[in-house]
């Protein structure tokens, strides 16, 4: 088992990473006392992993709340139902919530933990690659409302993260690959050496070798912890985690969230952002090509499709909630592993970069 400490003063917590952790009572013991536990999961994950977790928590007072599957379930109704369950059971203030599932379960469970009695303990047990390398670490919790995604939420750090890398083997392959895009993102913005490592381990990643999985989860969590530790509430440097995301969100919005998984859209977005960095003269030529080659080898998309017009994407970018005071902010690169926040890219630069990324 590998352990990474997220240093956030009195909100610090460990992330434990390893094969088979969900079934291991020793992985849970330091984080659960004698107080009641409520496991929040969904209909897909429950049959796969709930028995193992219940086995590891034998002897504890455990209840389970199972949601339907899907992003649409990260909503008021499930938040209300979960809070209702806590209220009906008179859940005391020392109750521990456990989020067993992907980012949807983690965000909703985390938001319920943040709001019940103004905040109770919760443990993240992420079962998707995206949740292990991104959503479970950093303390952002949220639900979606009809007006937009993640518009209602809170910062609330977990008491621990238990990331069982064996769970990744049951993921739909597309979900796994989409998570790899966020992994590569950390190399692009934080560490050129990690880009090299990924490039050298493409076969091991495609084969989901246990050591390779543990390595990417550990390194990604370390990079995210560094960034979040410097800026817990996203007032500055945390913005670099959005590398590839402005273009990615434009693609997701334009296609009604139907065509791309988030990580797939981010993959294309990273190639566009690197291309723009190069054409603006901020980054030496070569990295955009290299990122695209790595992503293709991992089975990720890398081009802006022919049926989507660049001006339409630009229009979506103007509405991005990361923009401040009407200024468009983009995360670009000044070197492999080094991100910068840019406010000076003109529409024409962006349109040219989008069109340069056609097949
Ligand atoms: P998800 O939770 O929808 O999981 C993807 C699919 O995989 C679902 O169908 C799920 O049931 C299934 N699944 C989960 N674990 C499985 C397993 N081990 N085997 C088989 N199937 C499994 O999606 P996600 O990509 O994990 O998370 C996306 C969500 O995370 C979005 O709502 C996004 O807003 C949020 N998010 C939050 C943060 C944050 O900082 N809080 C960061 C990134 C993303
Ligand atoms: Mg993302």
């Amino acid at each position: 088992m590998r352990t990474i400490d997220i240093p956030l003063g009195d909100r610090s917590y460990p992330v434990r990473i390893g094969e088979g952790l969900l079934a291991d009572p020793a992985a849970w013991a330091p984080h659960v006392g004698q107080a009641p536990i409520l496991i929040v999961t969904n209909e897909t994950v429950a049959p796969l992993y709930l028995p193992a977790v219940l086995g590891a928590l034998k002897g504890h007072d455990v209840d389970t709340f199972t949601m339907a599957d899907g992003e649409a379930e990260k909503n008021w109704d499930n938040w209300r139902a979960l809070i209702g369950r806590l209220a009906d059971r008179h859940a005391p203030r020392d109750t521990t919530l456990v989020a067993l599932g992907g980012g949807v379960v983690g965000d909703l469970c985390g938001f319920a933990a943040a709001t019940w009695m103004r905040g109770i303990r919760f443990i993240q047990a992420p079962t998707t690659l995206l949740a292990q390398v991104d959503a479970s670490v950093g303390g952002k919790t949220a639900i979606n409302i009809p007006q937009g995604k993640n518009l209602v939420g809170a910062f609330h750090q977990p008491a621990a993260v238990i990331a069982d890398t064996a769970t990744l083997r049951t993921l739909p392959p597309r979900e796994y690959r989409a998570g790899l895009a966020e992994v590569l993102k950390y190399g692009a913005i934080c560490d050129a050496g990690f880009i090299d490592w990924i490039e050298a381990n493409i076969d091991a990643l495609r084969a989901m070798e246990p050591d390779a999985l543990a390595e990417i989860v550990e390194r990604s969590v370390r990079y995210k912890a560094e960034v979040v530790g410097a800026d817990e509430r996203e007032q500055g440097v945390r913005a670099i985690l959005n590398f590839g995301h402005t273009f990615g969100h434009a693609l997701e919005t334009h296609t009604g969230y139907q065509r791309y998984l988030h990580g797939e859209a981010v993959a294309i977005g990273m190639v566009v952002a690197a291309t723009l960095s190069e054409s603006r003269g901020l980054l030496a030529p070569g990295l955009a090509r290299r990122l695209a080659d790595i992503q293709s080898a991992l089975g990720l998309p890398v081009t802006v499709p022919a049926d989507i017009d660049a001006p339409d994407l630009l229009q979506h970018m103007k509405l991005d909630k990361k923009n401040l005071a009407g200024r468009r902010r983009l995360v670009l690169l000044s070197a492999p592993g080094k991100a910068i926040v840019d406010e000076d890219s003109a529409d024409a630069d962006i349109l040219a970069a989008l069109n340069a990324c056609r097949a």
Side-chain angles (χ1 to χ4, degrees):
M1 175 164 68
R2 309 184 184 206
T3 300
I4 299 150
D5 289 305
I6 310 293
L8 291 170
D10 62 359
R11 292 178 310 291
S12 298
Y13 54 96
V15 178
R16 306 203 187 278
I17 300 161
E19 294 262 317
L21 292 188
L22 289 182
D24 180 1
W28 293 93
H31 311 299
V32 290
Q34 285 317 304
I37 298 167
L38 175 57
I39 300 175
V40 180
T41 187
N42 76 17
E43 285 168 350
T44 304
V45 176
L48 293 168
Y49 301 110
L50 187 57
V53 175
L54 292 175
L57 293 174
K58 219 177 178 144
H60 290 266
D61 170 1
V62 184
D63 188 13
T64 305
F65 179 92
T66 305
M67 320 174 6
D69 195 354
E71 177 71 32
E73 299 297 321
K74 209 173 93 175
N75 61 21
W76 281 124
D77 288 347
N78 278 314
W79 175 80
R80 195 183 295 119
L82 178 47
I83 294 290
R85 173 77 72 86
L86 290 162
D88 289 346
R89 305 280 161 107
H90 306 289
R93 177 174 299 288
D94 60 355
T95 301
T96 299
L97 293 187
V98 172
L100 175 67
V104 166
V105 166
D107 276 11
L108 183 118
C109 175
F111 185 56
T115 44
W116 174 245
M117 293 189 172
R118 300 195 192 86
I120 61 168
R121 276 166 57 84
F122 85 115
I123 296 173
Q124 289 274 18
T127 61
T128 65
L129 182 57
L130 181 126
Q132 294 189 358
V133 301
D134 188 356
S136 66
V137 175
K140 281 193 189 179
T141 73
I143 57 172
N144 304 324
I145 58 173
Q147 290 84 347
K149 285 174 63 123
N150 298 324
L151 285 181
V152 178
F155 286 98
H156 188 58
Q157 301 291 345
V161 180
I162 298 176
D164 182 342
T165 45
T167 62
L168 304 181
R169 283 199 196 83
T170 57
L171 278 179
R174 232 182 123 189
E175 296 283 351
Y176 172 66
R177 296 195 294 262
L180 289 174
E182 298 278 4
V183 170
L184 181 60
K185 178 190 79 178
Y186 292 114
I189 61 172
C190 293
D191 183 359
F194 191 40
I195 306 177
D196 300 340
W197 188 93
I198 293 169
E199 209 165 32
N201 287 276
I202 282 173
D203 290 342
L205 290 171
R206 290 170 58 113
M208 304 179 101
E209 284 177 15
D211 286 345
L213 294 179
E215 187 71 15
I216 55 171
V217 175
E218 174 176 353
R219 288 178 77 150
S220 299
V221 168
R222 281 193 196 286
Y223 299 125
K224 182 153 186 191
E226 249 170 59
V227 175
V228 170
D231 179 19
E232 189 180 353
R233 291 186 170 247
E234 191 155 355
Q235 276 145 355
V237 66
R238 191 164 176 164
I240 69 169
L241 296 172
N242 291 313
F243 177 62
H245 281 59
T246 305
F247 296 108
H249 282 149
L251 280 163
E252 286 183 282
T253 314
H254 186 71
T255 53
Y257 290 89
Q258 297 300 313
R259 182 155 160 187
Y260 296 109
L261 294 179
H262 172 70
E264 294 171 335
V266 168
I268 299 171
M270 290 195 292
V271 177
V272 176
T275 301
L276 177 60
S277 308
E278 291 178 10
S279 66
R280 292 272 324 279
L282 303 167
L283 172 69
L287 186 66
R289 177 77 258 164
R290 217 176 134 212
L291 292 178
D293 288 345
I294 294 170
Q295 291 175 193
S296 294
L298 293 172
L300 284 162
V302 297
T303 54
V304 178
D307 61 320
I308 298 180
D309 290 337
D312 289 342
L313 294 176
L314 187 68
Q315 195 51 40
H316 289 295
M317 290 171 57
K318 296 200 162 141
L319 306 171
D320 194 280
K321 70 174 183 256
K322 303 287 191 262
N323 294 338
L324 282 185
R327 297 198 65 128
R328 182 175 46 218
R329 307 180 86 202
L330 289 172
V331 181
L332 299 181
L333 300 176
S334 60
K338 193 142 183 29
I340 48 175
V341 176
D342 166 82
E343 295 191 345
D344 301 324
S345 293
D347 286 1
D349 299 326
I350 293 171
L351 292 170
L354 285 165
N355 285 321
C357 295
R358 304 284 186 189

